[in-house]
Amino acid sequence: MLAYDFMRTAFLASGIVAVLSGLVGYFLVLRNQTFAGHALSHVGFTGATGAILIGVPSLWGLVGFTLLAGLAMGALGEKLSARDVAIGMTLSLALGFGLLFLHFYTAFATQATALLFGNVLGVDRAALASLAVLGVASIVALACISRPLLFASLQPELAEARGVPLRLLSTAFLGIVAVAVSESAQIVGVLLVFTLMVGPGAAARNLSSRFGAGVALSAALAVAEAWGGLVLAWFTDWPVSFWITALSAAVYGLSLAAAPVAAARASARRLGAARTPGPGAASVPPDPHRRFQADAAALDAKLD
Amino acid sequence: MSLVVFDRVTLDLAGRTILSQASFAIAPGEFVGLLGPNGAGKTTLMRAILGLVRPREGRILVSGAPAAPGRGGIGYMPQLRAQPDPRSTGWDLVSGAVDGHRWGLPRRTARAREEVAWALDMVDATAIARRPLGELSGGERQRLLLSQALIGRPKLLLLDEPLISLDPAHQRGTVDLASRLRDELGIAVLFSAHELNPLLTAIDRVLYVGAGRAVLGAVDDVITGPVLSKLYGAPIEVVRAGRRIFVVAADVQPPSTACDGPHQEPARARL
């Protein structure tokens, strides 16, 4: 399988993209901005079709349009979740324009399918180099902003008080998301960007509540899903994108099933810790909420 | 030298004047209760001390320098509007604040770990810090947020309505904890609340805001009919019962309307 040049290129390309999407996706999930990532990919479709129409490589159209849209979203403000309708309208409009560009460029069916559902086996050397440069630049940029980004994601008000420029940070992050979306679209297509961007990040958050382990796991899962998809596609001759979505969904499903196990392990650790209370632990009054919570849980169990 | 100085400060919020030519000063190590009617601008006043809201007129000095974001020396516990991500642990929440304003990768150096361990220990939250926030009770989450505010070893703690949605026992626990932090760390605390009584045992002075004015003074000097009538812009009567204080509208009978007054009184009397 690795004897073929296009397969080696595909493994390299999907590996680079998966690492970037896994890392960015973790923060996307942490910040509840997954919908913004989805919207950016639709805007990217317009950029890509427009680029092809005027004879420019589609990757540049993708990157240019998503980057512009990402920066604009960031400049609009922190509370993106409150703008669902605005984002939804924008992405519908973007897809509409994409359709219009397709209409003008008539001999386009394969290109359109590749854009919508990805074509990792069609990545050439030049595209691979672009993906590598953009990927490395994005990861470096993400590393630079990751500390204030984590702080601002968990507690924006305190972060702002400590002098974190929230607006600038949010804009920079969405710029990085835009590049990651463009890269993912090369592998799985604009419609399936969620599968590489959000799937691994969400699964990692179910499996580990610790930040460092979660980020690493998210990237590792993304790479495993992308490469697993390539291998399965090689043996079945089914589309790579299908296998990646299937693996991503399976991993997410398993992480949901494993989440109670992880919680139980954490609570076992907690019981171990509770047996050796600190010197000041007695000064806080016992928690009457606990009993109510236990009662409520018992009631829930009965109702079930 | 005073820790926080308001010098003829006029503050606006969305076109409304919150403070007009207000002057007062908070001393280092002082525990001040911040009270006032709903919408009087307690949160805005705190944000102004942090430098997040600029005064239209006058000066706000913190440790002798004009208030500005990121100046350090101030710990802030905002009112819980957005819940922090329920899957994150308390440890991540608190450690995120260590040098959180600097660019770069999140650092887990020995010094950072020590700082987090210290901040968690100060609020007795070490045992709950490894659990996801979603599994904790409101009181436990609040201790972690308080711990986060201690990162950076501030000289001033701003606590915005920490008693909201807590039952009386937890309210007492929170006030006692803030009081203990003040004593052990020698830091000043500005504690905003809806009700005066839960704070009575802990505070040195009370800062009462209302109708564009701010009055800072001892409880006995500020919580009086004439002063509060001015701040509420309506006749107010202050009724004392043992160690508790009821603030009620003056044109009605106190016992039947205590619940309608500006302050409700669920906390039990101490002593």
Side-chain angles (χ1 to χ4, degrees):
Chain A
M1 161 167 74
L2 288 175
Y4 294 91
D5 198 38
F6 74 93
M7 280 307 277
R8 285 200 299 272
T9 310
F11 269 101
L12 276 176
S14 58
I16 293 165
V17 171
V19 169
L20 176 63
S21 328
L23 296 176
V24 173
Y26 186 87
F27 281 98
L28 215 49
V29 175
L30 178 71
R31 291 170 64 79
N32 277 328
Q33 286 186 319
T34 50
F35 191 49
H38 190 62
L40 284 175
S41 70
H42 285 59
V43 175
F45 179 67
T46 313
T49 49
I52 293 169
L53 192 61
I54 59 171
V56 177
S58 64
L59 179 62
W60 297 114
L62 258 170
V63 172
F65 257 62
T66 50
L67 202 54
L68 268 180
L71 297 180
M73 275 183 189
L76 279 176
E78 272 283 297
K79 300 262 173 207
L80 267 174
S81 51
R83 296 174 199 268
D84 280 1
V85 173
I87 294 176
M89 288 307 296
T90 313
L91 72 86
S92 303
L93 182 68
L95 270 183
F97 270 105
L99 180 67
L100 180 70
F101 295 154
L102 275 183
H103 173 76
F104 287 140
Y105 192 92
T106 40
F108 207 49
T110 31
Q111 288 271 29
T113 314
L115 278 175
L116 290 173
F117 296 107
N119 182 18
V120 64
L121 300 178
V123 173
D124 57 23
R125 288 264 154 191
L128 178 65
S130 309
L131 288 178
V133 169
L134 283 172
V136 169
S138 301
I139 290 173
V140 169
L142 184 64
C144 288
I145 66 166
S146 60
R147 190 177 349 171
L149 187 65
L150 177 64
F151 188 19
S153 305
L154 291 176
Q155 186 65 298
E157 279 144 329
L158 181 63
E160 191 185 17
R162 288 276 162 84
V164 173
L166 293 185
R167 187 67 58 89
L168 174 70
L169 195 64
S170 170
T171 308
F173 176 63
L174 282 170
I176 294 167
V177 171
V179 175
V181 162
S182 307
E183 295 225 328
S184 295
Q186 296 294 304
I187 310 300
V188 289
V190 293
L191 287 184
L192 305 179
V193 156
F194 227 68
T195 207
L196 266 187
M197 294 278 292
V198 177
R205 287 197 62 68
N206 282 338
L207 292 171
S208 173
S209 54
R210 299 170 71 159
F211 172 73
V215 172
L217 189 60
S218 177
L221 285 176
V223 172
E225 288 164 12
W227 285 354
L230 274 173
V231 172
L232 286 167
W234 173 265
F235 286 112
T236 58
D237 205 27
W238 293 3
V240 182
S241 297
F242 161 73
W243 280 118
I244 297 180
T245 53
L247 286 174
S248 178
V251 168
Y252 179 68
L254 286 175
S255 80
L256 283 181
V261 179
R265 216 181 298 141
S267 83
R269 226 182 298 143
R270 178 200 329 151
L271 283 177
R275 262 182 236 119
T276 52
S283 67
V284 175
D287 192 341
H289 274 321
R290 286 275 172 64
R291 222 191 63 232
F292 292 127
Q293 277 171 355
D295 288 349
L299 192 64
D300 281 348
K302 260 183 232 156
L303 289 175
D304 284 347
Chain B
M1 190 183 68
S2 295
L3 185 63
V4 178
V5 177
F6 273 55
D7 181 14
R8 281 161 295 157
V9 169
T10 300
L11 273 181
D12 290 342
L13 179 67
R16 207 160 50 88
T17 301
I18 300 253
L19 281 184
S20 171
Q21 298 279 320
S23 296
F24 57 85
I26 297 173
E30 194 175 23
F31 195 131
V32 177
L34 174 57
L35 289 131
N38 283 332
K42 298 187 287 278
T43 299
T44 307
L45 193 145
M46 287 191 174
R47 289 174 61 82
I49 295 175
L50 290 163
L52 298 174
V53 177
R54 291 278 164 113
R56 181 153 59 84
E57 293 167 14
R59 295 185 308 160
I60 301 173
L61 300 178
V62 180
S63 303
R71 281 247 347 266
I74 306 178
Y76 177 43
M77 187 167 95
Q79 208 173 322
L80 277 185
R81 277 179 224 95
Q83 290 286 348
D85 181 273
R87 290 217 179 86
S88 294
T89 62
W91 205 90
D92 279 334
L93 182 77
V94 177
S95 66
V98 180
D99 288 337
H101 56 288
R102 301 225 182 103
W103 303 107
L105 288 168
R107 266 204 239 133
R108 299 290 179 260
T109 59
R111 190 189 63 81
R113 282 170 184 283
E114 253 169 50
E115 193 70 10
V116 174
W118 169 81
L120 288 171
D121 188 48
M122 284 311 299
V123 300
D124 297 324
T126 309
I128 57 173
R130 287 289 176 195
R131 288 161 60 188
L133 294 171
E135 286 181 17
L136 303 178
S137 72
E140 290 171 326
R141 267 201 297 274
Q142 196 173 62
R143 293 221 301 278
L144 289 167
L145 290 170
L146 192 52
S147 166
Q148 192 189 32
L150 291 175
I151 293 292
R153 315 247 172 170
K155 292 194 186 70
L156 169 66
L157 262 188
L158 304 179
L159 309 179
D160 196 358
E161 297 275 12
L163 302 186
I164 271 186
S165 76
L166 292 182
D167 56 64
H170 276 87
Q171 292 192 349
R172 171 102 57 80
T174 302
V175 173
D176 288 348
L177 180 58
S179 184
R180 182 162 64 79
L181 290 174
R182 191 276 298 264
D183 293 342
E184 287 181 13
L185 304 174
I187 58 181
V189 176
L190 184 61
F191 192 120
S192 77
H194 266 75
E195 304 153 15
L196 175 64
N197 286 296
L199 295 179
L200 269 181
T201 51
I203 54 177
D204 301 314
R205 291 198 293 170
V206 60
L207 175 59
Y208 219 111
V209 292
R213 296 163 208 261
V215 181
L216 177 63
V219 171
D220 289 341
D221 298 335
V222 175
I223 310 299
T224 64
V227 172
L228 294 190
S229 296
K230 263 190 193 170
L231 293 173
Y232 277 92
I236 295 287
E237 213 167 84
V238 174
V239 181
R240 284 165 194 270
R243 299 204 53 169
R244 291 176 295 170
I245 300 176
F246 296 85
V247 178
V248 292
D251 50 353
V252 282
Q253 291 292 317
S256 60
T257 55
C259 290
D260 299 322
H263 290 292
Q264 298 171 12
E265 183 19 358
R268 288 168 308 238
R270 297 190 74 188
L271 300 175

